[in-house]
Amino acid sequence: MLGAMVAWKDVEAAAPEFAARVRRIFDAHKHKTIATIRADGGPRISGIEAEFAGGELTFGSMPGARKGADLHRDPRFALHSPSVDPPEGDPAGWAGDAKIAGRAVPAGEVGGDTEGELFRADVHEVVRTGLDDEATMLVIEIWTPGGGLRRVERA
């Protein structure tokens, strides 16, 4: 898989239960956060909507938006799920948060009534951070195309 574009469907095929957990976290709320790289090399954080459909992870950029210009100049991005607090009195009930990093590939115009450009994600890394069932340690799950799924636990 290294060298070829990695679509969301490839993550689902390689680690289906992990991909489902990550997608639930992303789908729980409409707005996400994306990090891109400015022309001067500094980071830019922007709000964004993203969609999992047809085996792809896609997101758009409005006409003239800086994040779109950033992605054309340097396609690297990091997308962060909505971040919510654990339920009061039930830390083990926290779904966690998730991140997807990779390269944005231009995919034409955004469909429908919205103007803008659509990007597809070439996925390089997917991370889910949460708690174990007893809520006694942090659990970090990391998937990469070349390394598969691994789990790190921190007390």
Side-chain angles (χ1 to χ4, degrees):
M1 238 187 265
L2 288 176
M5 181 163 165
V6 177
W8 183 251
K9 65 184 174 189
D10 299 318
V11 180
E12 291 175 318
E17 292 175 8
F18 170 71
R21 285 192 300 277
V22 168
R23 184 166 175 178
R24 274 193 303 276
I25 293 167
F26 270 98
D27 287 346
H29 299 280
K30 184 175 187 174
H31 297 107
K32 289 80 169 137
T33 307
I34 192 168
T36 58
I37 301 170
R38 297 174 184 261
D40 67 4
R44 182 187 316 273
I45 299 290
S46 305
I48 198 164
E49 296 175 19
E51 180 180 27
F52 295 91
E56 298 281 354
L57 168 59
T58 60
F59 46 86
S61 179
M62 294 171 23
R66 300 313 317 145
K67 70 183 153 213
D70 289 347
L71 292 170
H72 280 286
R73 187 179 44 262
D74 185 331
R76 292 177 292 171
F77 73 90
L79 183 68
H80 191 273
S81 69
S83 192
V84 297
D85 292 337
E88 189 68 36
D90 181 22
W94 181 49
D97 69 9
K99 301 166 215 54
I100 299 171
R103 299 174 74 78
V105 177
E109 296 296 313
V110 172
D113 296 334
T114 306
E115 289 186 32
E117 183 174 12
L118 189 66
F119 293 90
R120 293 183 310 144
D122 176 9
V123 179
H124 294 185
E125 180 182 65
V126 182
V127 177
R128 179 194 165 271
T129 303
L131 299 173
D132 67 349
D133 291 340
E134 296 78 32
T136 59
M137 72 177 66
L138 191 65
V139 176
I140 304 159
E141 297 173 289
I142 305 147
W143 181 89
T144 61
L149 182 62
R150 65 187 176 95
R151 178 182 171 114
V152 176
E153 296 179 350
R154 294 194 177 141

